[in-house]
Amino acid sequence: MTEDTERHAVKMAKKKAARDKIMATKTEQRGLIIVHTGKGKGKSSAAFGMIFRHIAHGMKSAVVQFIKGGMSTGERDLILKNHSDICSFHTMGEGFTWETQDKTRDTEMAQAAWEKAKELIRDESNSMVLLDEINIAIRYDYVDINEVVEFLATEKPHMTHVVLTGRNAKDDLIEIADLVTEMELIKHPFRSGIKAQIGVEY
């Protein structure tokens, strides 16, 4: 063993001992409130990654889409075709707000989505519930942030994970969340004239 290799081994052994000591203190297990926000791409993609992990482990989950309309997406088609027995999928929106241009209708749809979301979260057989683009519905006051925060704080079952996506997450939601990730926009192909592409955006 060379001196450099030996020095590295000693260093890594110390790191492992320190890490093991930290990990020994992490004993609690409970359902998390997870927020994916920010202007960068990947909020829903990351959330669906967790949904697919649940599916792979045979754990029941559910998805409620607050804004996205009926267009075909890879994740929705895959779940509906192959995994609807373990993951219920509810597309409750009718498209982005600039497409619908009807605040009353958008509010009604978002309220219906929120009612469905509460029903699915209350069902303790769902280990994870994804509320896709709910932050946008909250931002436009289609859904009341105070009601969302109160419900998650008082009615979410102890072991249920709830994932909330969409840019501009409210501070009150961030405050009660256990895990918050902000996707930072550095570059985006749309700004270079490249449209949304199958397998990347949907």
Side-chain angles (χ1 to χ4, degrees), residues 51-117:
I51 288 291
F52 283 118
R53 281 179 179 163
H54 262 64
I55 290 170
H57 287 293
M59 300 164 76
K60 194 164 174 259
S61 58
V63 177
V64 180
Q65 291 192 306
F66 277 73
I67 301 295
K68 290 164 185 164
M71 72 171 283
S72 172
T73 64
E75 57 270 20
R76 188 177 77 166
D77 293 349
L78 182 63
I79 289 170
L80 291 178
K81 183 179 179 182
N82 299 298
H83 306 293
S84 60
D85 59 325
I86 197 168
C87 181
S88 61
F89 205 111
H90 307 271
T91 301
M92 309 289 288
E94 293 185 322
F96 292 101
T97 52
W98 57 85
E99 292 174 344
T100 60
Q101 300 180 20
D102 184 341
K103 183 169 184 177
T104 300
R105 180 68 176 160
D106 288 342
T107 302
E108 289 172 356
M109 297 300 290
Q111 285 293 318
W114 175 234
E115 290 304 314
K116 174 56 72 174

Side-chain angles (χ1 to χ4, degrees), residues 144-157:
D144 181 16
I145 179 61
N146 296 315
E147 184 181 345
V148 173
V149 168
E150 167 129 12
F151 176 83
L152 292 175
T154 61
E155 293 198 48
K156 182 186 80 64

Side-chain angles (χ1 to χ4, degrees), residues 181-200:
T181 300
E182 183 174 10
M183 308 295 186
E184 182 181 355
L185 176 61
I186 296 175
K187 292 181 76 174
H188 197 294
F190 185 76
R191 292 182 172 180
S192 302
I194 301 171
K195 68 179 183 178
Q197 299 180 81
I198 190 167
V200 179

